[in-house]
Amino acid sequence: MRLAVRERGGPNRGELIEFWLRSQGGHAGQPWCMAFAAWMYENACLLYGLYPAFDANLSCSDLYAKAVAAKRIIPGAQAKAGDFFLLKGGETGYKHVGMVYLPVDTEGYLTCVEGNTNEAGSAEGDGVYKKRRHITSGVVVSIALD
């Protein structure tokens, strides 16, 4: 399900996408899944007067390393709305991130909101979508405060 934002003007381009990238120290044309998730997370923290526990530097693998060091990797079945879900793959171990929207269902799937992704079979291009991800396809990073 597309959630209103799509790339415009080329891959990894668009006014809002480039804003998210700049807000995280990136630049136009970079992959933007982590910029989207980090911006959402940081603004939720700001709204509730909390200090963000993570600064991922636009890298899914960097977020994973920081989460391991902080002991924030949790079983998928314990995921809550707002946690990060890192998809396994790529040269450095983790290639994509989304934010948990709905916890795991009876079939082992989480529903995530993800930037820089697409809907299978869609000609619309990359954007922000809700996606179902099986808990075995990645790891959950808890953002719960102790």
Side-chain angles (χ1 to χ4, degrees):
M1 172 183 188
R2 182 172 60 84
L3 300 175
V5 175
R6 286 195 331 225
E7 293 179 347
R8 300 208 187 285
N12 301 318
R13 303 303 299 251
E15 187 175 336
L16 191 51
I17 292 161
E18 292 171 20
F19 168 78
W20 289 326
L21 282 163
R22 283 190 310 272
S23 77
Q24 301 304 311
H27 57 81
Q30 280 185 277
W32 54 278
C33 65
M34 193 69 238
F36 169 74
W39 186 86
M40 297 293 286
Y41 170 62
E42 288 172 1
N43 278 274
C45 287
L46 183 65
L47 181 67
Y48 290 100
L50 304 171
Y51 187 79
F54 298 105
D55 174 13
N57 300 326
L58 297 174
S59 166
C60 295
S61 292
D62 185 52
L63 174 60
Y64 175 77
K66 289 176 180 178
V68 167
K71 297 183 171 129
R72 295 288 189 164
I73 302 295
I74 62 171
Q78 295 177 11
K80 294 184 270 329
D83 287 340
F84 291 108
F85 183 74
L86 291 166
L87 194 63
K88 295 175 188 174
E91 294 176 9
T92 60
Y94 293 90
K95 64 179 181 177
H96 187 67
V97 65
M99 296 197 74
V100 176
Y101 179 73
L102 294 174
V104 68
D105 63 20
T106 57
E107 297 173 340
Y109 286 87
L110 299 165
T111 300
C112 299
V113 175
E114 304 175 9
N116 201 23
T117 194
N118 58 39
E119 196 64 57
S122 172
E124 292 187 2
D126 283 359
V128 177
Y129 291 86
K130 283 185 191 174
K131 303 281 284 205
R132 287 183 75 221
R133 301 286 188 185
H134 198 273
I135 58 174
T136 61
S137 66
V139 296
V140 175
V141 177
S142 172
I143 63 164
L145 299 175
D146 295 330

